[in-house]
Amino acid sequence: MTVFVFDIETIPDTETGRKLYGLEGLTDEDVAKAMYQLRRQNTGHDFLPLHLHKVVAISIAMRSRDTFRSWSLGDAHSNEAELVTRFFEGLDKYTHVLVSWNGSGFDLPVLHYRSMLHSVPAARYWEAGDGEREFRYNNYLSRYHWRHIDLMDVLAGFNPRANAPLDQVAIQCGFPGKLGMAGSKVWDTWLAGDIDSIRNYCETDVLNTYLLYLRFEHIRGKNDNSMDAKEQELVAEFLENSDKPHLREFLDAWRD
């Protein structure tokens, strides 16, 4: 069984914003300001509808056989279509257990809309049992199946009023949480041309999510104390062997 933890980072889809609101001729920054303002006027907050989020980073933490590793799909120059294609190709090629934090409420719906935009096929992801019988009882789409585990949703007992932020639960459980970056800073960071910081931030989010997944597997009786310690050590070894400063910083924060 391969565990495939993922997280995405997004910015306003200014290209669609121009089309929807007649904002041709404005810069991306000004289009986004208008989109945020319209959203505040209509709802009282500026969190954009999910179909107006553009994916700029997708990070993965993967546990397979005797290995653990974490990385971001593509590179700093990859466009959205490539990132979304790589994500769904990974699910079509292998049958993973998909793990997320609020993936059902945010990441996956965003990826659905972006795959529609870019015509990205994903037959295995959308399989619900018509082609493969086993997917009738355990698929990526059902809220109550285990092929996709949205940890936030599961831990809240599928009650939105009980949802909790990844950062706070990670810190509560002794993991690093966010390290100087937050989702609210992604757009400004993008405007500054610093995609590497966004990708690094996304990678630390999937590490926090994976560590919480290990804790979840422990409390539901899948991993005993010895196995849990070994699984955490596998993550620590990966971080120790990395030459990326943000991963070493994550390890230092975890050990403090």
Side-chain angles (χ1 to χ4, degrees):
M1 180 187 71
T2 300
V3 177
F4 195 78
V5 183
F6 78 103
D7 183 56
I8 71 173
E9 299 303 332
T10 66
I11 60 172
D13 178 359
T14 54
E15 184 176 350
T16 299
R18 285 188 182 89
K19 296 176 183 178
L20 293 178
Y21 306 121
L23 300 172
E24 290 80 3
L26 296 183
T27 65
D28 284 350
E29 185 173 6
D30 286 338
V31 170
K33 287 180 181 178
M35 293 170 70
Y36 286 134
Q37 180 60 33
L38 287 168
R39 186 64 168 167
R40 281 192 293 270
Q41 290 175 359
N42 292 331
T43 66
H45 63 80
D46 61 6
F47 189 78
L48 296 175
L50 300 191
H51 67 285
L52 296 182
H53 285 253
K54 178 179 179 179
V55 177
V56 295
I58 304 178
S59 294
I60 306 296
M62 189 167 75
R63 175 72 170 89
S64 179
R65 296 183 180 177
D66 297 325
T67 63
F68 171 85
R69 62 191 182 104
S70 181
W71 74 100
S72 291
L73 299 181
D75 58 35
H77 303 291
S78 297
N79 61 31
E80 181 183 49
E82 179 183 349
L83 297 179
V84 175
T85 298
R86 283 174 177 257
F87 176 81
F88 284 113
E89 281 181 345
L91 292 184
D92 268 12
K93 187 175 182 179
Y94 305 103
T95 304
H96 302 300
V97 172
L98 197 59
V99 178
S100 68
W101 191 276
N102 195 28
S104 296
F106 178 73
D107 305 71
L108 288 176
V110 169
L111 288 168
H112 297 168
Y113 288 120
R114 307 320 284 184
S115 67
M116 288 284 289
L117 173 64
H118 299 294
S119 297
V120 177
R124 176 62 64 90
Y125 173 79
W126 291 105
E127 177 63 59
D130 294 331
E132 295 187 52
R133 183 178 176 82
E134 65 172 303
F135 274 72
R136 183 177 303 174
Y137 310 103
N138 190 20
N139 58 62
Y140 292 118
L141 305 175
S142 174
R143 191 179 195 183
Y144 306 110
H145 290 176
W146 293 109
R147 201 175 293 281
H148 170 225
I149 302 173
D150 180 342
L151 283 171
M152 187 185 80
D153 202 22
V154 171
L155 293 172
F158 308 105
N159 174 7
R161 292 177 297 176
N163 287 346
L166 170 64
D167 181 53
Q168 293 185 16
V169 178
I171 291 172
Q172 183 181 48
C173 291
F175 306 128
K178 299 184 187 297
L179 302 174
M181 182 76 168
S184 60
K185 299 179 180 179
V186 168
W187 176 231
D188 288 338
T189 304
W190 173 266
L191 290 175
D194 191 4
I195 181 60
D196 288 331
S197 289
I198 296 172
R199 287 163 63 87
N200 293 347
Y201 162 62
C202 198
E203 288 176 17
T204 59
D205 263 4
V206 295
L207 288 170
N208 279 305
T209 304
Y210 181 69
L211 291 172
L212 287 172
Y213 169 74
L214 291 181
R215 182 66 58 86
F216 176 65
E217 290 293 270
H218 180 58
I219 67 170
R220 70 174 182 147
K222 298 294 184 178
N223 293 343
D224 60 20
N225 289 336
S226 176
M227 186 178 297
D228 183 55
K230 289 180 180 178
E231 290 295 327
Q232 291 194 46
E233 183 56 32
L234 199 60
V235 179
E237 288 177 2
F238 166 78
L239 297 174
E240 284 178 342
N241 293 328
S242 173
D243 59 359
K244 295 181 178 180
H246 67 284
L247 298 184
R248 297 305 298 263
E249 180 186 6
F250 187 93
L251 177 61
D252 292 341
W254 182 13
R255 285 175 166 171
D256 282 348

